[in-house]
Amino acid sequence: MKVIFLLSGKIGGLFIRQVCKITEIEIVACVTENAKNIIKVLPEIHMINFKYNDYYFFNTFQFDCVISYNWNYRIPEEICEKYNCYNFHQSLLPKHRGPIPLVFSILQNELETGVTLHRIRKEFDKGEIYAQEKVAITKDATYISLNLRCLKAAIVL
C-alpha cells in the first residue's frame, strides 16, 4: 500500500520510524513542518516541508491513501472527498474531538483514553471509526508519557 503521511512534532517522527518497519506499507512521502529532523534519521524517505494550507503534493505523487498522526492542520474538504484520508486521533472518539485531546483527558482525571483510527471527513473528527485501542491513564501520567503510550497503541492499530 502506497501512503502519504502527514505528521507533526517529535511524536510524528517517532511514529514514522515505527511505520518504516511495516513491510506492507510503502511510504511515498512524509509531510511535516520540520522535515530536517526526520531526514537525519530516515534519509531514504521523500520529505516535504509543509507550509500552511499548501497541499500541492497530492497532485505530485501516486498513492493509495493518506494517514495523519499528530497532524496540527485541518485538511481541506476537497482533499478528504477526493482521496482516502485517515487519522490516528489520540482519544477514544467521539470523546475529545479536536486538538490536544490528551490534555483534556488528564485535566478531567479520566482513567483511560486511547487512540482511534478514523476516516477524515468534512466535520472535525467525525468520520467513520475503524478501530480503537484503549490506554490506561495512571496517576503519575504526564502528557509526554501518555503521548508515548498512545503512540504504541497506534502502532498496534
Side-chain angles (χ1 to χ4, degrees), residues 1-6 25-31 46 48 55-68 75 78-86 119:
M1 175 184 300
K2 295 180 178 185
V3 182
I4 291 178
F5 285 91
L6 307 177
I25 296 176
E26 179 185 336
I27 301 172
V28 174
C30 184
V31 181
H46 186 87
I48 297 170
Y55 289 93
Y56 73 90
F57 49 84
F58 284 116
N59 298 319
T60 306
F61 300 100
Q62 289 187 344
F63 57 93
D64 299 308
C65 70
V66 176
I67 296 177
S68 70
I75 299 171
E78 59 274 8
I79 290 173
C80 296
E81 297 291 326
K82 185 174 181 180
Y83 303 105
N84 293 316
C85 299
Y86 304 93
R119 181 79 184 250

Side-chain angles (χ1 to χ4, degrees), residues 96-116:
H96 300 308
R97 289 185 172 111
I100 60 171
L102 294 180
V103 171
F104 290 107
S105 295
I106 292 170
L107 289 175
Q108 294 177 2
N109 295 314
E110 294 175 0
L111 300 176
E112 70 178 11
T113 187
V115 177
T116 301

Side-chain angles (χ1 to χ4, degrees), residues 67-138:
I67 296 177
S68 70
Y69 186 84
N70 202 47
W71 187 241
N72 294 327
Y73 305 97
R74 185 176 211 118
I75 299 171
E77 180 182 355
E78 59 274 8
I79 290 173
C80 296
E81 297 291 326
K82 185 174 181 180
Y83 303 105
N84 293 316
C85 299
Y86 304 93
N87 180 46
F88 284 97
H89 184 79
Q90 296 170 323
S91 79
L92 298 173
L93 291 175
K95 196 168 196 172
H96 300 308
R97 289 185 172 111
I100 60 171
L102 294 180
V103 171
F104 290 107
S105 295
I106 292 170
L107 289 175
Q108 294 177 2
N109 295 314
E110 294 175 0
L111 300 176
E112 70 178 11
T113 187
V115 177
T116 301
L117 174 60
H118 69 97
R119 181 79 184 250
I120 300 174
R121 297 289 187 193
K122 176 184 175 181
E123 295 176 354
F124 214 60
D125 295 330
K126 288 190 177 184
E128 303 89 325
I129 293 173
Y130 295 106
Q132 293 184 312
E133 185 75 23
K134 292 181 180 180
V135 172
I137 301 176
T138 59

